[in-house]
Amino acid sequence: GLYKEKFRGQFHFSPKRGWTNDPNGLVYYNGEYHLFFQHNPYGRGWGNMSWGHAVSKDLVHWKELDVALHPGPFGPVFSGGAVVDQENTSGLGKPGKPAMVMFFTGARAWSQYLAWSTDGRSFQKLEKAVVPRINKDNRDPKVVWYEPSKQWVMVVYVERAHEQHSMQFLTSPDLKDWTPVSSINGGAGRDGYLFECPEFFQLTVEGSKETKWILTGANSEYAIGNFDGKVFKPETERLNGQRGRDFYAAQTYSNEPKGRRIEIGWWRTHTDREGMNFNQSMSIPLELKLERRTEGLRLIRRPVKELEALRNKTYSYGKMKLKDNSANPLSSLDIELAEIRLEFEPGTAKEVVLNVRGVPVIYNAVKQELTIDGVTASAPLQKGKQKLIIYADRTGLEVFAGDGLLFMPVNINIKPEIRSLSISARGGTASVSDLKVYQLESIWD
Ligand code: FRU
């Protein structure tokens, strides 16, 4: 039945049927987290691009609603963001009912359009583009409020010349009338640094009062810097936001009620098979923080706290030593959906291996590398104590290491019949200080 399909993520959002790619218009409005998404309602492949729509009260359980934005004279509806116009700068709100304002790319002529809603259920569009095409491909508008100048800021991807990427900044007093103010070079070709789906937001450096702006592209590479309302000045080189497989086009929530910076990405999964009528999924929601680490300021990703509500059974293991040929302490487990939290000192061991339902997660203590299903992250883990958090769903693993410094989403269709876990050490003795395995329940009922 629906939501019970063999490779349907049980705690990851995916549409009932049809294709999805990027998350769009992530915004908290009227007591709900809205998740719009690039959607083909009519097939399992990319096409007929529309904004699908789902809502959640807790970021964990999602209810899919009717398609919010359909293709029109402007062409297919490509990606973009949304804001709540609290002060009714646009005049699109009603007394006591601020408008939710969405920006999308009309892909026929690469122009940016505006849509809005005052109830979170029905949507209207302005007929004319608010930002006509600037140069070649323009897409994926993301809008934020800049308090010091009381202006809206849009960042939109613009292809300057063939495969020459840039992010264009524009400002507006009212969300309708936009003025280009600056542009930043994003590299070239497939290795382009700031290529499509910009995300732009401010964070306070943990433990200080200092704030910084972060600009990212679709592959999660990012720069940290300063913004004066018009020009973004990066202070870092391009940095890696993730080192996994197929996490793309992530976007963060605007108007998050607790002031958190919460991100959801498109998690490209292998769900186009075995008779399933839907394809692709979203990542779990992640909380972003800006922290000062050994290597400098870094963006940190952790699973949102709300996911703890899915724990329905806890298996807790005390301190233990692991060495070659020691018995598997997890041998009695029989589990499908799991959250695993592990802390260990590698000691003299060369490797510590956690096997999650047939998928090896290998920590190499000699090189401080993490390898999952053949994907290796050789940075940026430190020597000594390691903390791992692993979420395992039918479509793969999301792994957090280095206390959120290293995020490795790895998509893999896990064999339903393998429900075992094991942990072992190779080449020496490792000490586990804490190990908890939580059985998770499905978000679909
Ligand atoms: C990224 C992307 C966006 C575009 C959308 C179309 O995955 O290519 O740039 O708006 O997908 O579906």
Side-chain angles (χ1 to χ4, degrees):
L2 189 62
Y3 293 125
K4 304 266 191 288
E5 298 92 333
K6 187 172 175 189
F7 293 122
R8 168 81 75 178
Q10 294 295 296
F11 55 90
H12 288 85
F13 176 80
S14 52
K16 285 180 190 153
R17 52 185 64 79
W19 162 273
T20 185
N21 49 291
D22 314 348
N24 292 154
L26 300 188
V27 66
Y28 184 82
Y29 180 70
N30 281 352
E32 292 174 322
Y33 290 93
H34 289 261
L35 165 58
F36 300 93
F37 51 93
Q38 284 290 282
H39 189 35
N40 179 359
Y42 312 113
R44 294 194 306 185
W46 186 91
N48 307 303
M49 294 325 287
S50 310
W51 278 27
H53 189 195
V55 288
S56 172
K57 290 212 186 305
D58 63 1
L59 283 169
V60 176
H61 300 88
W62 297 96
K63 185 175 183 311
E64 189 175 339
L65 303 172
D66 293 343
V67 172
L69 304 177
H70 292 276
F74 41 77
V77 191
F78 276 18
S79 288
V83 293
V84 178
D85 185 10
Q86 301 286 7
E87 308 292 329
N88 203 18
T89 61
S90 62
L92 296 167
K94 293 180 191 154
K97 280 194 175 178
M100 169 207 274
V101 182
M102 302 131 88
F103 295 86
F104 66 89
T105 303
R108 191 180 58 82
W110 297 117
S111 300
Q112 317 315 317
Y113 288 82
L114 183 159
W116 80 97
S117 173
T118 51
D119 62 4
R121 294 294 184 274
S122 53
F123 303 91
Q124 285 173 276
K125 302 185 190 92
L126 291 184
E127 214 172 289
K128 266 188 68 187
V130 289
V131 181
R133 178 179 181 202
I134 295 168
N135 197 352
K136 292 190 162 279
D137 283 11
N138 301 204
R139 56 184 188 269
D140 311 334
K142 171 74 197 193
V143 172
V144 297
W145 175 250
Y146 186 72
E147 182 59 28
S149 63
K150 303 230 179 278
Q151 291 223 311
W152 298 99
V153 176
M154 180 189 286
V155 190
V156 62
Y157 167 73
V158 172
E159 191 183 23
R160 291 267 146 217
H162 181 67
E163 292 202 339
Q164 296 289 315
H165 313 303
S166 77
M167 294 300 183
Q168 174 71 49
F169 288 76
L170 304 95
T171 59
S172 169
D174 62 2
L175 293 170
K176 294 174 182 162
D177 188 16
W178 291 93
T179 309
V181 286
S182 71
S183 165
I184 181 167
N185 187 349
R190 283 178 166 263
D191 191 34
Y193 155 42
L194 295 171
F195 171 52
E196 53 185 30
C197 301
E199 178 50 277
F200 188 57
F201 53 89
Q202 194 180 30
L203 278 177
T204 303
V205 178
E206 287 298 301
S208 84
K209 291 212 165 89
E210 196 185 357
T211 57
K212 291 284 168 200
W213 285 85
I214 289 108
L215 178 65
T216 78
N219 68 3
S220 296
E221 282 184 290
Y222 67 104
I224 304 170
N226 293 313
F227 184 62
D228 63 4
K230 289 186 173 165
V231 180
F232 173 69
K233 287 214 176 85
E235 295 180 320
T236 62
E237 297 294 300
R238 56 199 277 188
L239 300 167
N240 276 304
Q242 50 103 9
R243 292 163 198 266
R245 198 155 65 197
D246 289 337
F247 176 84
Y248 201 72
Q251 194 181 104
T252 70
Y253 271 91
S254 47
N255 199 38
E256 206 284 322
K258 295 176 188 139
R260 296 177 298 176
R261 188 51 55 183
I262 291 175
E263 177 186 59
I264 294 178
W266 166 27
W267 195 18
R268 290 169 169 154
T269 48
H270 304 288
T271 37
D272 57 336
R273 55 194 72 185
E274 306 207 39
M276 285 179 289
N277 286 325
F278 73 98
N279 191 7
Q280 305 300 303
S281 89
M282 297 299 150
S283 71
I284 54 172
L286 309 167
E287 182 171 0
L288 305 186
K289 292 208 165 146
L290 195 55
E291 295 185 5
R292 198 168 291 284
R293 296 293 182 94
T294 325
E295 46 282 274
L297 279 184
R298 289 293 181 274
L299 202 51
I300 299 299
R301 284 179 168 79
R302 296 189 178 92
V304 294
K305 184 111 178 98
E306 283 90 333
L307 289 164
E308 292 176 10
L310 295 175
R311 297 170 177 173
N312 69 6
K313 223 175 194 182
T314 305
Y315 303 91
S316 219
Y317 301 84
K319 293 189 188 349
M320 58 179 137
K321 299 267 184 226
L322 298 172
K323 45 182 159 238
D324 295 275
N325 305 321
S326 52
N328 172 23
L330 305 176
S331 61
S332 66
L333 288 181
D334 174 40
I335 201 161
E336 190 200 10
L337 311 173
E339 174 193 343
I340 303 160
R341 296 201 175 225
L342 168 66
E343 291 183 27
F344 66 95
E345 272 288 346
T348 56
K350 295 198 167 56
E351 278 183 0
V352 173
V353 184
L354 189 63
N355 192 298
V356 183
R357 301 189 53 214
V359 184
V361 176
I362 305 166
Y363 176 69
N364 180 321
V366 182
K367 298 181 181 163
Q368 287 99 55
E369 282 182 355
L370 198 60
T371 301
I372 306 166
D373 192 42
V375 184
T376 296
S378 53
L381 299 176
Q382 307 286 330
K383 276 191 192 302
K385 189 169 181 177
Q386 301 299 320
K387 279 196 207 173
L388 291 180
I389 301 174
I390 301 174
Y391 280 82
D393 201 342
R394 295 180 182 175
T395 48
L397 309 184
E398 278 145 305
V399 178
F400 303 81
D403 201 12
L405 189 55
L406 177 59
F407 170 51
M408 290 182 75
V410 178
N411 56 356
I412 174 170
N413 288 345
I414 295 184
K415 290 196 175 66
E417 63 277 15
I418 307 184
R419 299 171 57 100
S420 57
L421 304 181
S422 73
I423 183 166
S424 58
R426 290 180 194 152
T429 306
S431 312
V432 171
S433 49
D434 197 17
L435 173 55
K436 290 197 178 65
V437 177
Y438 302 94
Q439 177 183 289
L440 303 182
E441 59 191 32
S442 171
I443 63 171
W444 313 115
D445 34 44

